[in-house]
Amino acid sequence: MNKTIELQDLGFKDYKDTWDYQETLFKAIVDTKVKNRREDANLETQNHFLFVEHPHVYTLGKSGDLSNLLLNEEQLKEKGATFYKINRGGDITYHGPGQIVGYPILDLENFFTDIHKYLRFLEEMIILTLAEYGLQAERSPGETGVWLDVGTPFARKICAMGVRASRWVTMHGFALNVNADLGYFDNIIPCGIRGKAVTSLNVELGVENVDEAEVKEKLLNHFSTLFEAEFLIPSA
């Protein structure tokens, strides 16, 4: 079992380029697992964790409904946004500046073979991080992600999640609104859920800007504790 995770912060990077990079890392892990099974090679599988911030983009999961995107192609251009149908679970979501996106690409056989537990751990990482800012975040029954004021007319989503897994290898992940422009969410029915608001950490704290590097550090601390993992920063 390899519980070390290579950490990379890709900075500000195009969604499609990042998706292609995820696929490359994902395929390398799967190929190693196939080789191990076919040849009894007993090779160690790698784990990765990518932080990234995307230009304005809308993505639709494989089970999503295109009608939840409220813009046509011309309007997307006017907003400076792109759109992709992708191979994760979930419906439509938005990524953009001021949002911390995390893509864990893990061989879950290094940790535990339970996708539901994996999703709950991702949610718990967000919940514990937001608690450090004095916010009581929680899960909403039947809805993946992290919310505030669940069960009230003021329920609002602060973190979206959508993952893909094959042969116990994960990709895609979570998107936490930290200093996000919430106006871009008006152009979709977020995650296909009508009547639910979206929020951002800076809005909840009543400040103009939250230190994103600090948030990332807190996320990694909680992730490493939950997964009993150690992060490694690859040498250049």
Side-chain angles (χ1 to χ4, degrees), residues 186-213:
D186 294 339
N187 304 314
I188 59 173
I189 301 170
C191 302
I193 304 168
R194 291 185 179 274
K196 292 286 181 74
V198 179
T199 191
S200 184
L201 183 55
N202 65 325
V203 172
E204 295 299 323
L205 298 180
V207 299
E208 185 174 339
N209 188 72
V210 176
D211 184 341
E212 292 179 30

Side-chain angles (χ1 to χ4, degrees), residues 57-61 88 91-95 99 160-161 175 185 188-191:
V57 60
Y58 297 100
T59 69
L60 184 70
R88 60 160 170 79
D91 205 284
I92 198 162
T93 194
Y94 159 78
H95 299 312
Q99 188 183 68
M161 292 184 184
F185 286 96
I188 59 173
I189 301 170
C191 302

Side-chain angles (χ1 to χ4, degrees), residues 2-69:
N2 174 26
K3 290 202 168 192
T4 60
I5 302 174
E6 289 197 5
L7 173 66
Q8 295 181 68
D9 193 327
L10 304 180
F12 194 71
K13 191 173 180 68
D14 176 76
Y15 185 86
K16 183 63 167 61
D17 290 345
T18 309
W19 185 12
D20 289 344
Y21 184 50
Q22 281 193 79
E23 291 278 12
T24 299
L25 298 176
F26 177 90
K27 183 178 184 300
I29 299 171
V30 170
D31 286 351
T32 300
K33 298 185 77 166
V34 169
K35 185 179 179 70
N36 283 343
R37 288 200 169 92
R38 286 180 179 169
E39 304 176 16
D40 199 22
N42 202 30
L43 298 172
E44 192 173 76
T45 53
Q46 301 299 306
N47 305 293
H48 305 272
F49 190 113
L50 309 179
F51 273 131
V52 66
E53 190 174 6
H54 292 306
H56 302 296
V57 60
Y58 297 100
T59 69
L60 184 70
K62 57 190 176 183
S63 59
D65 185 343
L66 185 57
S67 67
N68 290 324
L69 175 65

Side-chain angles (χ1 to χ4, degrees), residues 121-209:
F121 270 21
L122 290 185
E123 291 166 345
E124 190 67 14
M125 169 191 65
I126 302 295
I127 290 168
L128 292 171
T129 296
L130 294 175
E132 293 196 61
Y133 291 93
L135 297 179
Q136 185 178 343
E138 54 193 317
R139 299 171 181 85
S140 180
E143 298 168 338
T144 302
V146 178
W147 304 70
L148 301 171
D149 289 336
V150 171
T152 78
F154 310 105
R156 54 209 182 277
K157 193 170 197 173
I158 194 166
C159 182
M161 292 184 184
V163 303
R164 175 194 172 199
S166 177
R167 296 180 184 264
W168 296 113
V169 182
T170 67
M171 64 180 290
H172 300 297
F174 66 90
L176 175 62
N177 299 329
V178 178
N179 300 301
D181 181 348
L182 298 178
Y184 276 81
F185 286 96
D186 294 339
N187 304 314
I188 59 173
I189 301 170
C191 302
I193 304 168
R194 291 185 179 274
K196 292 286 181 74
V198 179
T199 191
S200 184
L201 183 55
N202 65 325
V203 172
E204 295 299 323
L205 298 180
V207 299
E208 185 174 339
N209 188 72

Side-chain angles (χ1 to χ4, degrees), residues 51 129 212-222:
F51 273 131
T129 296
E212 292 179 30
E214 180 184 83
V215 176
K216 289 176 183 177
E217 185 177 344
K218 293 179 187 300
L219 289 168
L220 292 175
N221 285 341
H222 292 302

